Amino acid sequence: MTTMEYIKTHLDFISTTYKIPEYIKKSILESIFVDGIGMVCRPPDYLDIIRSLQKFEKTEPDIYPAIINYCTEKNLEEVELYKKAGIARASFSKIRSMSKTGYNPSKATVLRLCLALELTIQQTQGMLETLGYHLSDASIKDKIISWCIENKIYDINTIASVLNEVTGDYYIY
């Protein structure tokens, strides 16, 4: 078996096992060549990255366990929470099962939950970051929400009114 056949065989196995898209597999094969003395020359990253995939399990982000913990801490029932946050029962149900379904609530929805739970700025950032969001210093809307949280202003309608007055957008609705 030649060096290139060996590489293709193992790459086929790895790409099937880890469901690597065909375009990535093709890119890897195009980056590999065998020089005149049988040495494989390639950028070092590709195969190393593929081997590293073994370390990762596919997990969906999930804020529901944190929501339950905060509800318990604050003696708040789920129904009270989603009503206070202005979230429909069906939407909250999606959040409840998000680890199984892959549902990802909007940033505004997460912010409403955090406000309803009266979380600190650090707790709010933690919830947002779990889903790939954050409160940015570059956004006037995010600065207003951060300021409100830091000053313990959690009323969603009040915050929405301030946001509308300053930016012309309700943002958290």
Side-chain angles (χ1 to χ4, degrees), residues 55-62 98-102 130-131:
K55 298 175 188 170
F56 300 104
E57 289 182 35
K58 186 174 189 264
T59 57
E60 295 296 332
D62 191 0
M98 67 190 291
S99 67
K100 297 175 192 140
T101 63
T130 299
L131 298 172

Side-chain angles (χ1 to χ4, degrees), residues 1-2 8 15 19 30 45 77-78 82 90-91 98 116 118 121 125-126 139 141 167:
M1 176 182 287
T2 68
K8 285 181 183 178
S15 64
K19 296 177 179 61
E30 288 172 354
D45 299 321
E77 296 292 322
E78 282 185 24
Y82 67 72
S91 295
M98 67 190 291
E118 299 183 2
I121 195 71
Q125 285 285 31
S139 165
K141 296 170 188 176
T167 68

